[in-house]
Amino acid sequence: MKRIILSAIIALTLASCTKAPSPIYPVPTDAQLEWQELETYAFIHFGLNTFNDLEWGYGDTPATTFNPTDLDCDQWAATLKNAGMKGVILTAKHHDGFCLWPTKSTDYNISKSPYKNGEGDVVKELSEACKIYGLKFGIYCSPWDRHNSFYAFPEYVETYHQQIQELTNNYGPLFEFWFDGANGGDGYYGGACETRQIDHNKYYDYQRAKDTVLAHNPTAMIFGGPFQAVRWIGNEKGYSEPTNWCNETENGTEWVPAEVDVSIRPGWFYHENEDDKVKTVNELCDIYYNSVGHNSNLLLNFPVALNGKIHPIDSIRAIEFYNTITNELSNNKLYDAKVKADNERGRRFSASKVNDNNSETYWATDDDYPYGTISFSFEKAVTLSKVMIQEYVKLGQRVKSFYLEGCKDGKWFRINTFDETTTVGYKRIVRFNPVELDKLVINFEESRGPLCISNIEAY
Ligand code: FUL
């Protein structure tokens, strides 16, 4: 008897000591992972362009044209919170060079505008509203400056660094800093009205910019420039391809997860003639599934209107969008299902870890098993139209391809998804026409190493 108990204890100890799979590099930093977990956050485009009905101001409109009558950053933050946004990035300075804070680096700023008789500071007002509403705060500060007479000369670089310094010192903590990719071209440039080109990798001294941002905000993600921690997806339409590696390509050596930026309206800035062009709830949901559902973060832009508020059409639409998504992803049918896998790396990494509601646990396969099949059996048939899969990316992104199968009344069939089932990463959501099932099977066909799947849900 004693011997049986002893061997049971040894077996249990061995099972719980099974070694975790070795990481497959690259892997995310803790800060990158925390950023990926935000999933959706907002952009605010607001500035002189708003009052001049422009997208790219030339840099010649007087600061006095900035005149919101009813600016209310609390309304922005409350709206964004209700739309499920986890943070907000503000265009503190767009290409026209106008600064939304009372910077000492240039006169072309809010203190020279009628707003609060020159006493206003939108960067401060929004950063404070974010603290009240529990939103993260980030800043966009355009490197290109179409107003500054020294743009393309060494003097402007100092001005730009002073701006970064002020923004990163005084308004943090910042979760993201955006260096826009639009660099040089025609502009006012203090009256010169000419075209100026620069080599953006050299001209701005991005190394120094990065050091300044991180000195005060060590966990901030840097977007753009040569030292970016997160990357642009390559379009502004709101989608990422389904095959999406956080390391850019299957063999990429750096972890640089993607961000999808898109505006809720055609323009980034507010234009009255776009009031009837706000994206529909369906379009926004599609954007969500093609961004967050494709292993990317979604940065959804809200153009603030002339009065200084998010327009009611936009806010209602965004809240409806959030409610729709929340509703669509709220009833996880796998939670009570019986889970089985064809291979498990011991008890600590059993298949049941994919539906234990714990993102720190995961199902893993043996080292010589870079694939695997997991099945979910339902007591009563369920109707499904979406599957969400998450890899335990702390150990690297692995899955290269998978497919879904279903079983109803003893008949097996392949589930035809709307888009190809290739990579997974931090999060992958696949959609398909509603189908009734007794059993759902996910076949992971190819992976860069043993599988590490932390979560699977279906709706
Ligand atoms: C682009 C800019 O040129 C647009 O005006 C906008 O700010 C967008 C988010 O980034 O590069």
Side-chain angles (χ1 to χ4, degrees):
M1 185 62 182
K2 253 190 195 163
R3 207 181 289 163
I4 297 173
I5 294 173
L6 198 65
S7 41
I9 292 172
I10 293 172
L12 275 175
T13 319
L14 281 178
S16 56
C17 289
T18 317
K19 238 179 115 226
S22 310
I24 297 184
Y25 292 98
V27 295
T29 62
D30 288 348
Q32 281 174 316
L33 200 52
E34 215 176 282
W35 175 87
Q36 284 186 268
E37 284 164 2
L38 297 176
E39 299 187 2
T40 48
Y41 41 89
F43 229 161
I44 292 272
H45 275 66
F46 184 55
L48 273 188
N49 287 339
T50 313
F51 298 89
N52 297 303
D53 208 6
L54 292 171
E55 277 294 306
W56 276 16
Y58 191 62
D60 60 341
T61 345
T64 48
T65 49
F66 181 82
N67 191 14
T69 47
D70 208 5
L71 198 157
D72 183 357
C73 288
D74 271 26
Q75 187 259 356
W76 307 359
T79 303
L80 301 175
K81 185 82 185 175
N82 287 331
M85 302 289 138
K86 303 288 174 19
V88 51
I89 299 177
L90 172 70
T91 52
K93 180 184 89 164
H94 204 252
H95 311 326
D96 60 16
F98 179 75
C99 298
L100 285 179
W101 77 103
T103 175
K104 294 195 172 68
S105 67
T106 170
D107 273 353
Y108 205 44
N109 76 58
I110 198 164
S111 70
K112 305 288 176 215
S113 81
Y115 176 59
K116 289 191 173 169
N117 294 320
E119 298 292 315
D121 181 345
V122 177
V123 182
K124 184 158 175 240
E125 289 161 37
L126 183 56
S127 76
E128 283 174 358
C130 282
K131 284 182 188 130
I132 295 170
Y133 287 87
L135 295 169
K136 304 234 177 227
F137 184 54
I139 284 178
Y140 166 122
C141 185
S142 171
W144 185 23
D145 189 320
R146 303 176 92 188
H147 175 79
N148 198 292
S149 51
F150 293 111
Y151 184 78
F153 298 99
E155 289 90 333
Y156 168 72
V157 180
E158 287 314 307
T159 303
Y160 187 49
H161 281 275
Q162 189 183 342
Q163 294 172 352
I164 299 171
Q165 187 73 251
E166 290 176 1
L167 290 169
T168 53
N169 286 10
N170 304 332
Y171 302 100
L174 304 175
F175 82 103
E176 184 165 332
F177 202 96
W178 242 73
F179 295 113
D180 191 279
N183 283 297
D186 65 328
Y188 177 67
Y189 305 127
C193 299
E194 59 190 13
T195 297
R196 293 184 184 175
Q197 302 294 353
I198 49 94
D199 173 351
H200 68 110
N201 277 329
K202 291 197 187 124
Y203 178 60
Y204 298 118
D205 192 356
Y206 273 121
Q207 179 65 56
R208 181 172 155 204
K210 175 186 164 184
D211 293 346
T212 308
V213 173
L214 296 185
H216 295 274
N217 308 271
T219 57
M221 292 295 108
I222 295 196
F223 175 100
F227 305 109
Q228 56 182 5
V230 299
R231 81 192 138 92
W232 187 45
I233 198 59
N235 69 73
E236 290 174 339
K237 296 200 179 88
Y239 73 90
S240 145
E241 293 298 339
T243 303
N244 184 13
W245 293 95
C246 289
N247 32 327
E248 283 192 80
T249 62
E250 188 187 326
N251 299 316
T253 53
E254 307 260 328
W255 190 271
V256 265
E259 181 179 84
V260 167
D261 62 321
V262 62
S263 186
I264 195 164
R265 292 169 175 241
W268 294 100
F269 285 89
Y270 178 81
H271 310 288
E272 199 183 343
N273 65 6
E274 292 183 353
D275 282 354
D276 59 354
K277 297 192 179 69
V278 178
K279 291 191 171 59
T280 63
V281 171
N282 271 349
E283 285 171 323
L284 291 170
C285 289
D286 233 38
I287 285 174
Y288 176 88
Y289 288 115
N290 285 315
S291 53
V292 175
H294 283 178
N295 192 30
S296 298
N297 274 5
L298 170 60
L299 173 54
L300 181 63
N301 179 62
F302 293 78
V304 166
L306 291 156
N307 62 353
K309 289 190 168 151
I310 296 178
H311 196 284
I313 299 178
D314 306 43
S315 53
I316 291 169
R317 202 59 60 74
I319 293 165
E320 279 173 359
F321 150 67
Y322 176 57
N323 290 342
T324 307
I325 290 290
T326 309
N327 196 28
E328 287 184 3
L329 303 179
S330 67
N331 188 7
N332 173 17
K333 301 266 176 43
L334 302 190
Y335 197 57
D336 301 319
K338 216 167 118 214
V339 199
K340 259 171 104 177
D342 63 343
N343 179 283
E344 286 173 345
R345 196 186 180 91
R347 226 162 48 101
R348 195 173 139 209
F349 303 103
S350 68
S352 61
K353 305 296 179 200
V354 303
N355 67 344
D356 65 354
N357 227 351
N358 181 348
S359 60
E360 277 309 308
T361 61
Y362 53 100
W363 163 49
T365 54
D366 289 325
D367 279 349
D368 59 354
Y369 217 83
Y371 28 71
T373 296
I374 190 162
S375 68
F376 301 87
S377 311
F378 308 105
E379 231 167 65
K380 266 197 352 225
V382 295
T383 301
L384 298 179
S385 61
K386 287 170 202 74
V387 167
M388 176 204 286
I389 311 175
Q390 296 190 273
E391 288 190 73
Y392 186 73
V393 288
K394 277 188 185 171
L395 295 178
Q397 188 173 338
R398 295 159 182 248
V399 174
K400 295 206 256 183
S401 73
F402 64 98
Y403 66 94
L404 309 180
E405 281 177 306
C407 181
K408 178 78 184 73
D409 300 329
K411 280 202 195 91
W412 285 96
F413 49 90
R414 187 149 170 161
I415 298 172
N416 293 316
T417 54
F418 294 166
D419 55 33
E420 63 194 38
T421 46
T422 48
T423 52
V424 174
Y426 162 74
K427 184 172 270 188
R428 182 67 201 275
I429 306 172
V430 285
R431 293 181 287 170
F432 42 89
N433 286 324
V435 57
E436 218 192 349
L437 303 173
D438 299 322
K439 223 171 175 181
L440 169 74
V441 169
I442 305 176
N443 296 288
F444 293 96
E445 293 177 291
E446 252 194 293
S447 164
R448 291 167 72 220
L451 298 172
C452 298
I453 308 289
S454 68
N455 186 34
I456 305 183
E457 300 183 11
Y459 313 93

